[in-house]
Amino acid sequence: AAVAALIRRARVYESDKDPKRALADLDEAVKLEPENAPLLAARGALLARMGQDKPAISDLNRAVRMAPADTEILAARASFYARVEKPTLALEDFTKAIDLDPKFAEAYNGRGALYANALKEPEKALRDVMKAVELKPREPGYHYNLGSLRLRNRLYFKAIDSFNMALALKGPAARILERRADAEFQIGDHSGAMRDIEAALEKDPRNAGIYDTLGHIRLRARDYEQAVRDLSQALQLDDRLAGAYQHRGLAYG
């Protein structure tokens, strides 16, 4: 009972953006149950999100050794490997999780993202994320990811359908509206694109990525001076946003 309470409180702390207290609770829980593989995996995943890669992989490897057929633990380690740019190891863990449980939607979603971003295999990425949507059709994040893949592959109308479904399922509105605006601009619906991007900014005015997308839209519309202003705003919010530098450079040109 004490361990369960500590885990629940750790989740609350993390949702409140207090990872240090969350980690303290998970540390205490691990002391009480050092052979609890899901608990070790949970701590490892939290450490990874905190950027503490060495102890994170130590926990995740130990959890996998203790429970080699636990699909959620395998997926957690796969996500870690994907983040630290070890796509071969990530692919191995995601695929093993799917082989153990062919209905494990999160593993398909994770492997799809891996195929799309690190392995550059768009057809396999689409297939996997579509499978995730088929298995869990009420998960807005999967529809958002499918829409993003369709947008990347220039399937603009299908991308809009996916983003509409993600919104209907109460997914994160600002991110979805930003992506839908990009798709709408691509099909020539410039007023719809601007309406969506402005709505996204109302919901999340400190999001650098939204300003980047807005600047890119204005760049393609040849509104260069406003594009520079929007992209400069993006870089004020996040000076590590490589795409915004690229788009602003094109606007200056």
Side-chain angles (χ1 to χ4, degrees):
V3 168
L6 286 164
I7 292 170
R8 286 196 297 272
R9 190 169 69 175
R11 288 172 182 160
V12 173
Y13 279 138
E14 190 171 7
S15 68
D16 287 342
K17 296 182 170 51
D18 193 348
K20 290 183 178 179
R21 286 187 178 180
L23 181 59
D25 275 353
L26 292 180
D27 284 341
E28 186 63 27
V30 169
K31 289 178 184 177
L32 293 169
E33 290 189 10
E35 301 303 313
N36 185 324
L39 177 56
L40 282 168
R43 187 175 70 174
L46 175 60
L47 286 164
R49 289 189 289 273
M50 295 172 69
Q52 298 185 37
D53 291 349
K54 189 172 181 179
I57 192 57
S58 176
D59 272 357
L60 290 166
N61 282 338
R62 186 177 165 204
V64 170
R65 286 194 298 270
M66 292 166 62
D70 189 309
T71 55
E72 292 193 5
I73 293 174
L74 285 167
R77 189 172 69 173
S79 296
F80 173 84
Y81 282 141
R83 189 183 67 77
V84 298
E85 299 181 356
K86 294 184 177 180
T88 302
L89 294 173
L91 180 61
E92 182 180 327
D93 275 353
F94 278 132
T95 301
K96 186 175 181 181
I98 290 168
D99 290 342
L100 288 165
D101 181 2
K103 294 185 177 181
F104 187 19
E106 186 57 30
Y108 284 105
N109 183 62
R111 191 173 70 174
L114 186 71
Y115 277 134
N117 299 319
L119 301 176
K120 309 301 181 186
E121 298 190 52
E123 291 184 4
K124 290 182 178 180
L126 276 169
R127 182 191 63 202
D128 270 0
V129 177
M130 288 177 71
K131 183 66 174 179
V133 169
E134 175 191 327
L135 290 167
K136 290 188 72 174
R138 305 295 299 173
E139 173 52 55
Y142 297 166
H143 288 281
Y144 172 81
N145 290 345
L146 180 57
S148 297
L149 285 172
R150 285 171 163 173
L151 177 60
R152 189 182 300 185
N153 285 278
R154 302 181 181 179
L155 303 170
Y156 301 125
F157 288 99
K158 288 186 176 181
I160 291 170
D161 288 342
S162 293
F163 294 136
N164 289 342
M165 182 59 73
L167 280 172
L169 294 169
K170 310 298 183 185
R175 283 198 306 155
I176 297 167
L177 289 166
E178 175 201 349
R179 295 285 84 205
R180 190 173 72 176
D182 199 353
E184 287 166 338
F185 186 87
Q186 296 286 358
I187 63 173
D189 184 5
H190 294 185
S191 61
M194 291 306 298
R195 183 174 59 249
D196 273 356
I197 205 75
E198 288 170 1
L201 281 173
E202 285 180 10
K203 294 179 181 298
D204 191 359
R206 302 288 299 171
N207 188 316
I210 298 175
Y211 279 103
D212 180 28
T213 298
L214 176 57
H216 194 201
I217 287 174
R218 294 197 196 277
L219 170 65
R220 286 174 289 180
R222 301 185 180 182
D223 186 358
Y224 303 122
E225 290 185 2
Q226 187 59 51
V228 167
R229 284 192 284 270
D230 291 329
L231 293 163
S232 296
Q233 180 66 32
L235 291 167
Q236 283 182 12
L237 293 168
D238 183 359
D239 62 3
R240 299 168 299 171
L241 204 61
Y245 284 109
Q246 178 190 16
H247 297 147
R248 190 172 69 174
L250 291 170
Y252 277 137

